[in-house]
Amino acid sequence: MSKQRIVIALGGNALGKTPKEQLQLVKNTAKPIVDLIELGNEIIIAHGNGPQVGMINLAMETSANLTGSTPEIPFPECGAMSQGYIGYHLQNAIREELLNRGKDIPVAAVITQVVVDKKDMAFKNPSKPIGSFYSREESSKLENEKGYIMKEDAGRGWRRVVPSPKPVDIVEKNIVKTLVDNKYVVITVGGGGIPVVREGNSLVGVSAVIDKDFASEKIAEILDADYLIILTAVEQVAINFGKENEKWLSSISIDQAKTYMNEGHFAPGSMLPKVKAAVTFAQSKAGRKALITSLEKAQEGIEGKTGTLITM
Ligand code: ADP
Ligand code: MG
C-alpha cells in the first residue's frame, strides 16, 4: 500500500471515563495508530470529548456552587481543559508505543480553536446534551438562574443542551500542517475543537460543542488528506440497524450513502454525523476515501478487509 496522509477520528470507546481508565485505554488506542505510522503513513489524530468535558464541567460547577472558593469556569475553557487532558494522554501513549518499536518521532497535541458562524442555525436550536442529569425542578432553577437551556434526555433526566454548530475554519491549521509536513504526529481538533466566533481581530469562545466527526472532516480537507478514518464502537455501518433485516455495509458510493441517509438508517446523534462527514470528504476531491470501522479493526479496514468504505 502506498503511503498516505490519514486523519483518524477517535470515538468515545478509544478514551475513558476516568483519568485512570483513560490512561490504560489509550495504550490500546496507540497500537493501531502506530501500526499505521510504521507503514510510513502520515497520521493526524482527532478525538471526541463528550464524557470528559462533561466531567470537567460538572466538577467545576460543583466546586463553584459548593465551596464558592473556585471561580465559575465557562464552557469553552472546559473544552480547552479537555483537549489538554486527552491530548496529554494520547501523546504520552503514542510516544511510548513508538519508542517500544524503536521509533523516535515527536508527538504533539495542538490546542485547536475552530471558527463557527454566529448565524449558524444550531444557535437557535441547541441540541447537544452535556454534563450531568437533573430533576425537572433543579433544571428549571438552572434555567432561571444561569440562563441554561435544559432538555429531557432520553428518559434519563434533564440536561443542559448547547448548540452544535458546523466547523467553518480551523484557526491553527497552518501550525498543524507544518508539523504534519515535518513528519510529526499531531493530535488536533480535540472534542471537535474549541468553538470560537470572529469579532474583528478577536476570536471569542462560545458555549457550544462542534461534532468531532465534522471537525475531523474539515481538517482532513484542509490538510489534503487521502483518507479519513472514523474509528468507533462498531466494525461496520449497517442499514436497518438493530432490526431483523440488518445489513452490514462493506463499501458504498456517495449516492448510495445519501439515499440511506434520507431513508433514516443512521441515528442522528451517533452514526449520521459519521456518514455525513465521510460523504462530505469523499466528494470533496477525486481520490479521497473515507472509512468507518472500529479501533480494533483499523489495520484490516485500511487493507480493505473490513469496515465501511465510502468513495466516489
Ligand atoms: P463515537 O463515540 O465513536 O462518536 P457514537 O456512539 O456517537 O460513537 O456512534 C457510534 C454508534 O452508532 C455505534 O456504537 C452504534 O450503536 C450506533 N449506530 C447508530 N446507527 C447505526 C448504524 N446504522 N450502523 C451502525 N451503528 C449505528
Ligand atoms: Mg459520537
Side-chain angles (χ1 to χ4, degrees):
M1 193 188 68
S2 61
K3 302 185 185 351
Q4 310 198 57
R5 180 169 284 192
I6 305 172
V7 171
I8 296 182
L10 297 173
N13 67 325
L15 306 168
K17 292 193 179 62
T18 67
K20 201 173 158 201
E21 183 188 80
Q22 181 166 286
L23 202 53
Q24 198 52 45
L25 264 178
V26 290
K27 288 186 198 293
N28 300 331
T29 304
K31 290 192 177 105
I33 292 172
V34 174
D35 288 342
L36 293 174
I37 298 170
E38 266 195 318
L39 292 172
N41 299 297
E42 292 173 346
I43 302 295
I44 301 96
I45 300 146
H47 60 83
N49 74 343
Q52 296 82 3
V53 76
M55 170 189 77
I56 293 168
N57 187 235
L58 174 63
M60 293 302 176
E61 234 170 59
T62 309
S63 172
N65 290 344
L66 287 182
T67 69
S69 57
T70 59
E72 279 194 33
I73 308 289
F75 197 71
E77 276 74 359
C78 292
M81 288 177 189
S82 79
Q83 277 192 356
Y85 155 56
I86 299 167
Y88 151 54
H89 277 181
L90 284 171
Q91 93 191 353
N92 184 284
I94 295 166
R95 173 192 165 276
E96 184 175 325
E97 186 65 26
L98 283 164
L99 280 180
N100 288 346
R101 304 197 203 181
K103 289 202 172 295
D104 189 6
I105 305 174
V107 188
V110 177
I111 298 295
T112 315
Q113 305 174 88
V114 174
V115 178
V116 297
D117 184 352
K118 248 185 237 179
K119 297 196 188 84
D120 194 307
M121 287 307 287
F123 286 107
K124 294 219 161 67
N125 179 30
S127 61
K128 172 89 186 163
I130 55 160
S132 50
F133 293 87
Y134 297 94
S135 68
R136 184 191 287 268
E137 296 71 49
E138 289 168 322
S139 109
S140 346
K141 204 168 157 229
L142 285 169
E143 275 182 328
N144 294 332
E145 283 176 5
K146 304 215 176 198
Y148 290 176
I149 299 172
M150 309 291 291
K151 281 189 186 158
E152 214 281 326
D153 185 2
R156 295 175 294 180
W158 293 71
R159 287 176 95 184
R160 179 179 181 195
V161 286
V162 294
S164 189
K166 294 283 176 297
V168 173
D169 194 15
I170 293 169
V171 181
E172 288 77 15
K173 62 188 173 192
N174 290 327
I175 296 165
V176 171
K177 187 169 185 306
T178 303
L179 292 170
V180 176
D181 287 346
N182 281 287
K183 311 289 172 209
Y184 298 135
V185 179
V186 187
I187 300 149
T188 181
V189 294
I194 304 159
V196 295
V197 294
R198 286 191 201 281
E199 283 180 14
N201 276 342
S202 303
L203 296 171
V204 181
V206 290
S207 294
V209 176
I210 300 164
D211 196 299
K212 69 107 178 32
D213 300 313
F214 296 142
S216 307
E217 191 284 324
K218 183 59 87 183
I219 193 74
E221 271 194 50
I222 289 173
L223 295 174
D224 195 17
D226 306 293
Y227 223 141
L228 170 65
I229 303 185
I230 302 179
L231 298 180
T232 185
V234 285
E235 191 175 326
Q236 287 181 313
V237 180
I239 49 169
N240 304 312
F241 179 65
K243 296 186 188 143
E244 246 167 57
N245 55 345
E246 178 179 77
K247 183 175 165 235
W248 300 99
L249 305 165
S250 53
S251 177
I252 45 174
S253 68
I254 290 167
D255 287 340
Q256 234 166 353
K258 285 181 180 167
T259 305
Y260 292 147
M261 277 197 271
N262 291 334
E263 289 171 358
H265 286 284
F266 314 125
S270 54
M271 191 47 77
L272 185 60
K274 296 184 205 315
V275 177
K276 265 192 190 163
V279 164
T280 307
F281 183 68
Q283 72 184 6
S284 62
K285 190 174 166 185
R288 287 181 179 167
K289 301 168 290 202
L291 178 75
I292 301 172
T293 191
S294 67
L295 185 66
E296 298 75 27
K297 299 284 178 173
Q299 177 81 49
E300 283 174 56
I302 210 170
E303 288 167 3
K305 294 178 189 156
T306 187
T308 303
L309 185 71
I310 296 158
T311 50
M312 211 145 304

